[in-house]
PDB file of all heavy atoms in Angstrom:
ATOM      1  N   GLY A 261     -21.833  14.894 -42.861  1.00 97.00           N
ATOM      2  CA  GLY A 261     -22.250  14.145 -41.686  1.00 97.00           C
ATOM      3  C   GLY A 261     -23.425  13.224 -41.920  1.00 97.00           C
ATOM      4  O   GLY A 261     -24.059  13.237 -42.983  1.00 97.00           O
ATOM      5  N   VAL A 262     -23.687  12.446 -40.891  1.00 98.00           N
ATOM      6  CA  VAL A 262     -24.819  11.533 -40.868  1.00 98.00           C
ATOM      7  C   VAL A 262     -25.482  11.609 -39.495  1.00 98.00           C
ATOM      8  O   VAL A 262     -24.834  11.935 -38.503  1.00 98.00           O
ATOM      9  CB  VAL A 262     -24.393  10.075 -41.162  1.00 98.00           C
ATOM     10  CG1 VAL A 262     -23.915   9.928 -42.593  1.00 98.00           C
ATOM     11  CG2 VAL A 262     -23.327   9.614 -40.197  1.00 98.00           C
ATOM     12  N   MET A 263     -26.777  11.320 -39.462  1.00 98.00           N
ATOM     13  CA  MET A 263     -27.462  11.249 -38.176  1.00 98.00           C
ATOM     14  C   MET A 263     -28.454  10.101 -38.180  1.00 98.00           C
ATOM     15  O   MET A 263     -29.021   9.761 -39.218  1.00 98.00           O
ATOM     16  CB  MET A 263     -28.133  12.580 -37.818  1.00 98.00           C
ATOM     17  CG  MET A 263     -29.185  13.083 -38.743  1.00 98.00           C
ATOM     18  SD  MET A 263     -29.874  14.694 -38.223  1.00 98.00           S
ATOM     19  CE  MET A 263     -28.564  15.810 -38.643  1.00 98.00           C
ATOM     20  N   GLU A 264     -28.573   9.490 -37.015  1.00 98.00           N
ATOM     21  CA  GLU A 264     -29.559   8.442 -36.798  1.00 98.00           C
ATOM     22  C   GLU A 264     -30.942   9.076 -36.688  1.00 98.00           C
ATOM     23  O   GLU A 264     -31.068  10.284 -36.453  1.00 98.00           O
ATOM     24  CB  GLU A 264     -29.259   7.686 -35.499  1.00 98.00           C
ATOM     25  CG  GLU A 264     -28.033   6.804 -35.559  1.00 98.00           C
ATOM     26  CD  GLU A 264     -28.264   5.492 -36.295  1.00 98.00           C
ATOM     27  OE1 GLU A 264     -29.375   5.257 -36.821  1.00 98.00           O
ATOM     28  OE2 GLU A 264     -27.307   4.705 -36.367  1.00 98.00           O
ATOM     29  N   ALA A 265     -31.968   8.273 -36.811  1.00 98.00           N
ATOM     30  CA  ALA A 265     -33.325   8.756 -36.579  1.00 98.00           C
ATOM     31  C   ALA A 265     -33.397   9.351 -35.180  1.00 98.00           C
ATOM     32  O   ALA A 265     -32.812   8.825 -34.232  1.00 98.00           O
ATOM     33  CB  ALA A 265     -34.312   7.610 -36.727  1.00 98.00           C
ATOM     34  N   GLY A 266     -34.072  10.490 -35.060  1.00 97.00           N
ATOM     35  CA  GLY A 266     -34.214  11.145 -33.770  1.00 97.00           C
ATOM     36  C   GLY A 266     -34.470  12.626 -33.932  1.00 97.00           C
ATOM     37  O   GLY A 266     -34.576  13.141 -35.045  1.00 97.00           O
ATOM     38  N   GLU A 267     -34.570  13.314 -32.798  1.00 97.00           N
ATOM     39  CA  GLU A 267     -34.782  14.758 -32.778  1.00 97.00           C
ATOM     40  C   GLU A 267     -33.601  15.410 -32.078  1.00 97.00           C
ATOM     41  O   GLU A 267     -33.188  14.960 -31.009  1.00 97.00           O
ATOM     42  CB  GLU A 267     -36.080  15.087 -32.046  1.00 97.00           C
ATOM     43  CG  GLU A 267     -36.472  16.535 -32.149  1.00 97.00           C
ATOM     44  CD  GLU A 267     -37.883  16.819 -31.651  1.00 97.00           C
ATOM     45  OE1 GLU A 267     -38.719  15.904 -31.653  1.00 97.00           O
ATOM     46  OE2 GLU A 267     -38.128  17.969 -31.259  1.00 97.00           O
ATOM     47  N   TYR A 268     -33.074  16.471 -32.698  1.00 97.00           N
ATOM     48  CA  TYR A 268     -31.852  17.109 -32.204  1.00 97.00           C
ATOM     49  C   TYR A 268     -31.988  18.627 -32.258  1.00 97.00           C
ATOM     50  O   TYR A 268     -32.701  19.163 -33.109  1.00 97.00           O
ATOM     51  CB  TYR A 268     -30.648  16.696 -33.058  1.00 97.00           C
ATOM     52  CG  TYR A 268     -30.512  15.207 -33.232  1.00 97.00           C
ATOM     53  CD1 TYR A 268     -30.979  14.568 -34.374  1.00 97.00           C
ATOM     54  CD2 TYR A 268     -29.928  14.430 -32.242  1.00 97.00           C
ATOM     55  CE1 TYR A 268     -30.851  13.197 -34.532  1.00 97.00           C
ATOM     56  CE2 TYR A 268     -29.802  13.058 -32.384  1.00 97.00           C
ATOM     57  CZ  TYR A 268     -30.270  12.447 -33.539  1.00 97.00           C
ATOM     58  OH  TYR A 268     -30.145  11.092 -33.692  1.00 97.00           O
ATOM     59  N   GLU A 269     -31.256  19.309 -31.365  1.00 97.00           N
ATOM     60  CA  GLU A 269     -31.166  20.759 -31.401  1.00 97.00           C
ATOM     61  C   GLU A 269     -29.698  21.148 -31.538  1.00 97.00           C
ATOM     62  O   GLU A 269     -28.860  20.669 -30.775  1.00 97.00           O
ATOM     63  CB  GLU A 269     -31.759  21.390 -30.144  1.00 97.00           C
ATOM     64  CG  GLU A 269     -31.741  22.917 -30.195  1.00 97.00           C
ATOM     65  CD  GLU A 269     -32.431  23.547 -29.007  1.00 97.00           C
ATOM     66  OE1 GLU A 269     -31.959  23.330 -27.866  1.00 97.00           O
ATOM     67  OE2 GLU A 269     -33.435  24.239 -29.221  1.00 97.00           O
ATOM     68  N   PHE A 270     -29.419  22.005 -32.513  1.00 95.00           N
ATOM     69  CA  PHE A 270     -28.060  22.458 -32.777  1.00 95.00           C
ATOM     70  C   PHE A 270     -27.973  23.971 -32.599  1.00 95.00           C
ATOM     71  O   PHE A 270     -28.957  24.678 -32.800  1.00 95.00           O
ATOM     72  CB  PHE A 270     -27.645  22.125 -34.223  1.00 95.00           C
ATOM     73  CG  PHE A 270     -27.565  20.662 -34.517  1.00 95.00           C
ATOM     74  CD1 PHE A 270     -28.627  19.993 -35.115  1.00 95.00           C
ATOM     75  CD2 PHE A 270     -26.420  19.954 -34.201  1.00 95.00           C
ATOM     76  CE1 PHE A 270     -28.547  18.646 -35.387  1.00 95.00           C
ATOM     77  CE2 PHE A 270     -26.338  18.596 -34.481  1.00 95.00           C
ATOM     78  CZ  PHE A 270     -27.402  17.946 -35.074  1.00 95.00           C
ATOM     79  N   GLY A 271     -26.788  24.459 -32.278  1.00 95.00           N
ATOM     80  CA  GLY A 271     -26.513  25.880 -32.226  1.00 95.00           C
ATOM     81  C   GLY A 271     -25.518  26.228 -33.313  1.00 95.00           C
ATOM     82  O   GLY A 271     -24.725  25.391 -33.731  1.00 95.00           O
ATOM     83  N   THR A 272     -25.566  27.474 -33.774  1.00 95.00           N
ATOM     84  CA  THR A 272     -24.666  27.913 -34.839  1.00 95.00           C
ATOM     85  C   THR A 272     -23.722  29.005 -34.334  1.00 95.00           C
ATOM     86  O   THR A 272     -24.099  29.821 -33.504  1.00 95.00           O
ATOM     87  CB  THR A 272     -25.447  28.463 -36.039  1.00 95.00           C
ATOM     88  OG1 THR A 272     -26.175  29.619 -35.630  1.00 95.00           O
ATOM     89  CG2 THR A 272     -26.398  27.424 -36.614  1.00 95.00           C
ATOM     90  N   ALA A 273     -22.514  29.008 -34.861  1.00 95.00           N
ATOM     91  CA  ALA A 273     -21.547  30.072 -34.575  1.00 95.00           C
ATOM     92  C   ALA A 273     -21.326  30.938 -35.816  1.00 95.00           C
ATOM     93  O   ALA A 273     -20.804  32.045 -35.731  1.00 95.00           O
ATOM     94  CB  ALA A 273     -20.221  29.477 -34.108  1.00 95.00           C
ATOM     95  N   THR A 274     -21.703  30.394 -36.978  1.00 95.00           N
ATOM     96  CA  THR A 274     -21.626  31.113 -38.250  1.00 95.00           C
ATOM     97  C   THR A 274     -22.910  30.829 -39.016  1.00 95.00           C
ATOM     98  O   THR A 274     -23.717  29.996 -38.603  1.00 95.00           O
ATOM     99  CB  THR A 274     -20.439  30.634 -39.115  1.00 95.00           C
ATOM    100  OG1 THR A 274     -20.665  29.276 -39.494  1.00 95.00           O
ATOM    101  CG2 THR A 274     -19.115  30.750 -38.382  1.00 95.00           C
ATOM    102  N   ILE A 275     -23.089  31.490 -40.147  1.00 96.00           N
ATOM    103  CA  ILE A 275     -24.190  31.139 -41.038  1.00 96.00           C
ATOM    104  C   ILE A 275     -23.894  29.760 -41.613  1.00 96.00           C
ATOM    105  O   ILE A 275     -22.756  29.457 -41.976  1.00 96.00           O
ATOM    106  CB  ILE A 275     -24.348  32.176 -42.165  1.00 96.00           C
ATOM    107  CG1 ILE A 275     -24.753  33.529 -41.572  1.00 96.00           C
ATOM    108  CG2 ILE A 275     -25.355  31.710 -43.204  1.00 96.00           C
ATOM    109  CD1 ILE A 275     -24.724  34.665 -42.571  1.00 96.00           C
ATOM    110  N   GLU A 276     -24.911  28.902 -41.670  1.00 96.00           N
ATOM    111  CA  GLU A 276     -24.739  27.549 -42.197  1.00 96.00           C
ATOM    112  C   GLU A 276     -25.701  27.307 -43.345  1.00 96.00           C
ATOM    113  O   GLU A 276     -26.881  27.636 -43.256  1.00 96.00           O
ATOM    114  CB  GLU A 276     -24.994  26.512 -41.101  1.00 96.00           C
ATOM    115  CG  GLU A 276     -24.032  26.628 -39.938  1.00 96.00           C
ATOM    116  CD  GLU A 276     -24.247  25.559 -38.872  1.00 96.00           C
ATOM    117  OE1 GLU A 276     -25.022  24.603 -39.115  1.00 96.00           O
ATOM    118  OE2 GLU A 276     -23.641  25.678 -37.802  1.00 96.00           O
ATOM    119  N   LEU A 277     -25.175  26.723 -44.404  1.00 97.00           N
ATOM    120  CA  LEU A 277     -25.987  26.247 -45.516  1.00 97.00           C
ATOM    121  C   LEU A 277     -25.955  24.730 -45.457  1.00 97.00           C
ATOM    122  O   LEU A 277     -24.890  24.127 -45.644  1.00 97.00           O
ATOM    123  CB  LEU A 277     -25.439  26.746 -46.854  1.00 97.00           C
ATOM    124  CG  LEU A 277     -25.411  28.252 -47.050  1.00 97.00           C
ATOM    125  CD1 LEU A 277     -24.771  28.597 -48.385  1.00 97.00           C
ATOM    126  CD2 LEU A 277     -26.816  28.833 -46.959  1.00 97.00           C
ATOM    127  N   MET A 278     -27.082  24.120 -45.182  1.00 97.00           N
ATOM    128  CA  MET A 278     -27.128  22.679 -44.981  1.00 97.00           C
ATOM    129  C   MET A 278     -27.892  22.029 -46.126  1.00 97.00           C
ATOM    130  O   MET A 278     -29.053  22.356 -46.371  1.00 97.00           O
ATOM    131  CB  MET A 278     -27.788  22.359 -43.643  1.00 97.00           C
ATOM    132  CG  MET A 278     -27.645  20.953 -43.187  1.00 97.00           C
ATOM    133  SD  MET A 278     -28.184  20.843 -41.460  1.00 97.00           S
ATOM    134  CE  MET A 278     -27.319  19.386 -40.960  1.00 97.00           C
ATOM    135  N   THR A 279     -27.229  21.115 -46.824  1.00 98.00           N
ATOM    136  CA  THR A 279     -27.816  20.407 -47.960  1.00 98.00           C
ATOM    137  C   THR A 279     -27.995  18.944 -47.585  1.00 98.00           C
ATOM    138  O   THR A 279     -27.049  18.299 -47.126  1.00 98.00           O
ATOM    139  CB  THR A 279     -26.907  20.515 -49.195  1.00 98.00           C
ATOM    140  OG1 THR A 279     -26.702  21.897 -49.497  1.00 98.00           O
ATOM    141  CG2 THR A 279     -27.523  19.812 -50.395  1.00 98.00           C
ATOM    142  N   ILE A 280     -29.188  18.431 -47.794  1.00 98.00           N
ATOM    143  CA  ILE A 280     -29.463  17.021 -47.528  1.00 98.00           C
ATOM    144  C   ILE A 280     -28.910  16.217 -48.704  1.00 98.00           C
ATOM    145  O   ILE A 280     -29.255  16.473 -49.860  1.00 98.00           O
ATOM    146  CB  ILE A 280     -30.977  16.774 -47.353  1.00 98.00           C
ATOM    147  CG1 ILE A 280     -31.564  17.709 -46.295  1.00 98.00           C
ATOM    148  CG2 ILE A 280     -31.249  15.308 -47.030  1.00 98.00           C
ATOM    149  CD1 ILE A 280     -30.870  17.673 -44.955  1.00 98.00           C
ATOM    150  N   THR A 281     -28.050  15.252 -48.416  1.00 98.00           N
ATOM    151  CA  THR A 281     -27.442  14.453 -49.488  1.00 98.00           C
ATOM    152  C   THR A 281     -28.050  13.062 -49.602  1.00 98.00           C
ATOM    153  O   THR A 281     -27.880  12.403 -50.621  1.00 98.00           O
ATOM    154  CB  THR A 281     -25.915  14.343 -49.299  1.00 98.00           C
ATOM    155  OG1 THR A 281     -25.643  13.766 -48.021  1.00 98.00           O
ATOM    156  CG2 THR A 281     -25.262  15.718 -49.389  1.00 98.00           C
ATOM    157  N   SER A 282     -28.760  12.621 -48.568  1.00 98.00           N
ATOM    158  CA  SER A 282     -29.462  11.338 -48.623  1.00 98.00           C
ATOM    159  C   SER A 282     -30.544  11.336 -47.555  1.00 98.00           C
ATOM    160  O   SER A 282     -30.291  11.684 -46.402  1.00 98.00           O
ATOM    161  CB  SER A 282     -28.488  10.177 -48.381  1.00 98.00           C
ATOM    162  OG  SER A 282     -29.166   8.942 -48.444  1.00 98.00           O
ATOM    163  N   GLY A 283     -31.757  10.982 -47.944  1.00 97.00           N
ATOM    164  CA  GLY A 283     -32.864  10.945 -47.004  1.00 97.00           C
ATOM    165  C   GLY A 283     -33.621  12.261 -46.965  1.00 97.00           C
ATOM    166  O   GLY A 283     -33.595  13.048 -47.903  1.00 97.00           O
ATOM    167  N   SER A 284     -34.294  12.503 -45.841  1.00 98.00           N
ATOM    168  CA  SER A 284     -35.027  13.756 -45.644  1.00 98.00           C
ATOM    169  C   SER A 284     -34.917  14.162 -44.185  1.00 98.00           C
ATOM    170  O   SER A 284     -34.664  13.331 -43.310  1.00 98.00           O
ATOM    171  CB  SER A 284     -36.491  13.603 -46.062  1.00 98.00           C
ATOM    172  OG  SER A 284     -37.152  12.694 -45.209  1.00 98.00           O
ATOM    173  N   LEU A 285     -35.129  15.456 -43.934  1.00 98.00           N
ATOM    174  CA  LEU A 285     -34.964  15.993 -42.596  1.00 98.00           C
ATOM    175  C   LEU A 285     -36.030  17.059 -42.359  1.00 98.00           C
ATOM    176  O   LEU A 285     -36.214  17.948 -43.187  1.00 98.00           O
ATOM    177  CB  LEU A 285     -33.567  16.620 -42.469  1.00 98.00           C
ATOM    178  CG  LEU A 285     -33.110  17.040 -41.083  1.00 98.00           C
ATOM    179  CD1 LEU A 285     -32.936  15.825 -40.174  1.00 98.00           C
ATOM    180  CD2 LEU A 285     -31.800  17.813 -41.168  1.00 98.00           C
ATOM    181  N   ASP A 286     -36.742  16.942 -41.236  1.00 98.00           N
ATOM    182  CA  ASP A 286     -37.694  17.969 -40.829  1.00 98.00           C
ATOM    183  C   ASP A 286     -36.931  19.008 -40.026  1.00 98.00           C
ATOM    184  O   ASP A 286     -36.157  18.661 -39.127  1.00 98.00           O
ATOM    185  CB  ASP A 286     -38.811  17.378 -39.970  1.00 98.00           C
ATOM    186  CG  ASP A 286     -39.658  16.381 -40.738  1.00 98.00           C
ATOM    187  OD1 ASP A 286     -39.782  16.511 -41.965  1.00 98.00           O
ATOM    188  OD2 ASP A 286     -40.211  15.466 -40.097  1.00 98.00           O
ATOM    189  N   VAL A 287     -37.164  20.286 -40.329  1.00 98.00           N
ATOM    190  CA  VAL A 287     -36.389  21.375 -39.726  1.00 98.00           C
ATOM    191  C   VAL A 287     -37.331  22.428 -39.155  1.00 98.00           C
ATOM    192  O   VAL A 287     -38.306  22.823 -39.807  1.00 98.00           O
ATOM    193  CB  VAL A 287     -35.460  22.029 -40.781  1.00 98.00           C
ATOM    194  CG1 VAL A 287     -34.672  23.175 -40.186  1.00 98.00           C
ATOM    195  CG2 VAL A 287     -34.532  20.985 -41.400  1.00 98.00           C
TER     196      VAL A 287
END
Side-chain angles (χ1 to χ4, degrees):
V262 293
M263 61 181 74
E264 289 282 3
E267 188 169 335
Y268 309 98
E269 183 175 62
F270 295 97
T272 63
T274 65
I275 295 171
E276 298 182 10
L277 298 177
M278 192 169 203
T279 302
I280 307 306
T281 58
S282 180
S284 66
L285 190 66
D286 296 331
V287 179

